[in-house]
Amino acid sequence: MMSWRTLVSRLAPLLACLGLLGIWQIGALILDTDSFPTAIDALRAVPSILTDKESLINILASLRRMAIGFGVGVGLSIPLGLMMGRSRAVASFFNPLLMITYPVPKAALMPIIMLWLGVGDLAKTLVIFLGVSLPVVFHSFQGARAVEEKMLWSGAAMGLSAGQRMLRIVLPSALPEILIGCRTGLVLALITMITSEMIARQSGAGNILFNALDMGQYDTVFAMIIIVGAMGIGLDAAFEQLRKRLVRWSEPRFDLPLSFS
Amino acid sequence: MIEISGVSQVFQTSGRQSHLALSNISLTIQDGAFVSILGPSGCGKSTLLYIVGGFVAPSQGTTRVKGKAITGPGPDRGPVFQEFALFPWKSVLGNVMYGPRQQGVSSAEAEAQSRQLIEMVGLKGFEHFYPKELSGGMKQRVALARTLAYHPAVLLMDEPFGALDAHTRTRLQNDLLNIWERDRKTVLFVTHSVEEAVFLSDKVVVMTRSPGRIKRIIDIDLPRPRRRAELLLDPHYQKYVVDIEGMIDDTSEDELHP
Ligand SMILES: Nc1ncnc2c1ncn2[C@@H]1O[C@H](COP(=O)(O)OP(=O)(O)O)[C@@H](O)[C@H]1O
Ligand SMILES: [Mg+2]
C-alpha cells in the first residue's frame, strides 16, 4: 500500500507541471497576442513536430551531438580531475588553463570554433564537450582530493599499486561527487547544444526553434520549447535514477528529491 | 622481529617551521609479542606506527621487519586505524574480502574465509550492511576483520578502541585477546589508556611528551590467558597500572634529565 504521503510526493512534479501549464493558459488568454500562444495551442503543435520526418532527423542529430560531446567530455574529464586531485604537479599544470576557461561562456567561443572547424557537427560537438568538461573536472578534482588517506594506506597495505588505488579506491570513493558534476554537465550539454545550434543554424532542435521564430510560427516555437524542456527533465530524471543506484552506499537516509525521478 | 633503530621524524609545519615529532627511537619487537605504545596525545605514537607500516618514511634512522628494510606498506603488516578507514562503497563482506581477493585468493574461498572472520568478530548477519549503517564499534570490528583477512604477520593498531564507549571497548579488548592468544601475531598497539596497555600487553613502551622519546619499557609479567575479571583483582596488575600512570605524569620532569 502506498501511503498518502508518498502518493502526494510522487504526484507533486506532475501537479507542478499542470499548474504551470494552467498559469500559462490563463496568461495567454488574457494577453491574447500572436507571439504568446496558449498552452493548449503549443501542446497541440507538439505531435506534428514529433511526426515530421525532417524535424525528427534534426532532433536526433542534436541528441547524437549531445551524447558524443557528453560522453567524450565525461570520459576525459573524470581521469583528469582525479589525477589533479591526487597529484599536486598535475593540478598546478592544468589549473591555470581551467581558471581561464572556467568563466568564459562556451557558446561565446562558437564563432572562433566555426571559423576553424566549419558549421558542421565537429564544431557543435566541441562546444558541448567544453561545456560538459569543466563541472566534471571540478567535481572529480574535489572528490579525489577528499579521499581519506587512511583508506589509500589500507589499500596499499593489501598490496594495491598506485594505479590500482586510483582505479579501485579514489574512483569509487569520489564517485558521489563525480556524479554531481556529471549531472550538472548533462544539463549544460543540453544548454550548449541548443545555443550552438542557434549560432550555427544548419540542423538540430535549436535550428527548428529559431527558424520558426524567424517565420513567426509561434506555436512551433513554444512546442519546441516544451519538447526541449521535456528532454532536459527526462534526461535529468533518468540520470538521477542511475546516480542513485550507483551511490546508494553513500546516500543520506532522508533527502528531498530535487529531480523528477 | 621488528627492529626500529635511531628513528627520528621531523615535520614541516605550515608556518615554514620544523617540528620534531619523534626523537631517536630504538625498539625491538620479538615475533609474536604484544607490545603497546603509551604516551600523551601528540607524542608521536601514530607517527611511529605509520613508519613501521611504511606509510611514512622516517627523517632519520632505519626500520626492519624480519631483517628486511621497510621501504613501503606491505601485506605482512596490517594496519587498523582509529578512523576505521573502511571502504564505504563495499558491504561488510566486500570490505573483508578485499584483501584476500587482492592477494589472488579465489572468490569462493575468500568469501568463505571472510564469513568466518565476520562471525568471529561478532557480526554474523551484518554481511550485507554498508559501513554507514554500522555503529562505531561495529565498524572497528569490520576494520579488524578486514585486516586479519589477509593474514598479516604483524598487526599495527592505532588507538583502535579509542573512540568507543567503555562497554564496547571492554568487549573488543577481550575479543582481540582471544584472537591473539589463538594465532599469536606480533601486535604493535597504540593507546593512551594505561589499563588497556597493561591488560593486553607483554611489553609497554612509555613515551615522553613531544618530541616523542622512549622513556621506559616495562615487561608485563602477568599470566596468560588473561581474564579481565581475574586481572582487575590481581594486585600485580594494579601495581603495574599505578606505576605506569606515575611514569606518564612525571614525564615532563624526566625530560629535563634524560
Ligand atoms: N603530516 C604531518 N605534518 C605535520 N605535523 C604532523 C604530521 N603528522 C603528525 N604531526 C605532528 O607530529 C606530532 C605527533 O603526532 P602523532 O603521531 O599523531 O601523535 P599521537 O598519535 O601520539 O597523538 C604532533 O605534534 C602532530 O601535530
Ligand atoms: Mg595518534
Side-chain angles (χ1 to χ4, degrees), chain B residues 31-53:
Chain B
D31 284 342
F34 198 123
V35 176
S36 287
I37 300 179
L38 201 57
S41 172
C43 73
K45 304 182 295 293
S46 299
T47 305
L48 183 59
L49 205 77
Y50 300 160
I51 289 172
V52 176

Side-chain angles (χ1 to χ4, degrees), chain A residues 149, chain B residues 9-14 19-22 39-48 50 56 82 158-159 190 207 210:
Chain A
E149 194 166 39
Chain B
Q9 183 67 44
V10 181
F11 284 116
Q12 247 27 71
T13 52
S14 44
H19 170 74
L20 184 63
L22 287 175
S41 172
C43 73
K45 304 182 295 293
S46 299
T47 305
L48 183 59
Y50 300 160
V56 170
Q82 188 174 10
D158 189 6
E159 302 194 33
V190 167
M207 288 177 66
S210 172

Side-chain angles (χ1 to χ4, degrees), chain A residues 190-203:
Chain A
L190 189 73
I191 294 171
T192 38
M193 174 192 97
I194 297 289
T195 332
S196 70
E197 292 161 356
M198 178 180 104
I199 301 166
R201 296 247 205 112
Q202 183 220 26
S203 85

Side-chain angles (χ1 to χ4, degrees), chain A residues 150 154 157-158 168 251, chain B residues 75 83 89 102-103 132 146:
Chain A
K150 305 285 153 56
S154 299
M158 291 174 190
R168 292 175 48 195
E251 290 293 290
Chain B
E83 304 90 339
W89 63 94
Q102 179 64 26
Q103 238 88 103
K132 69 157 186 184
R146 180 180 68 171

Side-chain angles (χ1 to χ4, degrees), chain A residues 24-90:
Chain A
W24 174 1
Q25 181 71 19
I26 294 163
L29 286 171
I30 294 169
L31 285 174
D32 192 28
T33 65
D34 273 355
S35 58
F36 191 25
T38 64
I40 290 174
D41 286 343
L43 280 172
R44 240 187 235 135
V46 170
S48 59
I49 294 174
L50 291 183
T51 49
D52 178 48
K53 191 162 168 247
E54 188 77 8
S55 307
L56 271 182
I57 290 173
N58 271 304
I59 293 171
L60 286 179
S62 290
L63 284 175
R64 204 189 48 156
R65 284 193 291 272
M66 185 182 152
I68 294 173
F70 180 76
V72 176
V74 164
L76 293 179
S77 303
I78 293 175
L80 176 62
L82 292 183
M83 283 192 286
M84 285 177 63
R86 295 313 309 173
S87 152
R88 193 177 289 266
V90 177

Side-chain angles (χ1 to χ4, degrees), chain A residues 148 150-161 164 168-170 172-173 248-253, chain B residues 50 55-56 73-75 77 79 81 83 85-89 95 98-99 102-103 130 132-133 146 150:
Chain A
E148 201 189 332
K150 305 285 153 56
M151 216 143 79
L152 293 166
W153 288 4
S154 299
M158 291 174 190
L160 271 78
S161 67
Q164 286 175 321
R168 292 175 48 195
I169 295 179
V170 177
S173 73
R248 208 181 346 231
W249 52 268
S250 80
E251 290 293 290
R253 257 163 246 203
Chain B
Y50 300 160
F55 309 118
V56 170
R77 285 151 291 139
F81 297 111
E83 304 90 339
L86 297 175
F87 303 136
W89 63 94
N95 266 281
Y98 208 97
Q102 179 64 26
Q103 238 88 103
Y130 284 113
K132 69 157 186 184
E133 297 163 325
R146 180 180 68 171
Y150 54 93

